Amino acid sequence: TEFVVIILVEVEDQEYVALTPLEQIEDEESESMEIFLFEYAEDENGVAEFSEIEDEATYIKVRDYCATQVVMDDVEIDVSEN
């Protein structure tokens, strides 16, 4: 599965990225979009590295911040607790 970067943000001096599967971007009939959040960094060669956000409080801050920044035609990031 190929992923697309929705947004790259900085929260508390750390960069984070929101990704979604490419097929969800291309599916014009979809009413929802699955979003994945990761810590983002680049290695010494400039290659992107993604790692899991392990701290729940940090994850919530990043999720909520991304929700305020992402505007894609009627697409919203669900900030409800699952």
Side-chain angles (χ1 to χ4, degrees), residues 46-65:
V47 176
E49 296 180 334
F50 304 99
S51 56
E52 186 176 337
I53 303 171
E54 295 184 15
D55 180 69
E56 185 176 354
T58 300
Y59 181 89
I60 291 169
K61 283 182 193 176
V62 172
R63 181 199 65 199
D64 291 351
Y65 183 71

Side-chain angles (χ1 to χ4, degrees), residues 8-61:
L8 177 69
V9 299
E10 186 173 321
V11 177
E12 297 178 356
D13 298 321
Q14 170 65 50
E15 290 185 312
Y16 298 92
V17 66
L19 306 173
T20 193
L22 178 60
E23 62 264 11
Q24 288 186 14
I25 294 288
E26 295 173 341
D27 182 3
E28 294 178 8
E29 295 181 18
S30 177
E31 294 183 16
S32 65
M33 183 180 297
E34 195 169 14
I35 304 284
F36 300 91
L37 300 175
F38 292 95
E39 287 185 14
Y40 175 82
E42 292 182 1
D43 70 11
E44 61 275 356
N45 297 317
V47 176
E49 296 180 334
F50 304 99
S51 56
E52 186 176 337
I53 303 171
E54 295 184 15
D55 180 69
E56 185 176 354
T58 300
Y59 181 89
I60 291 169
K61 283 182 193 176

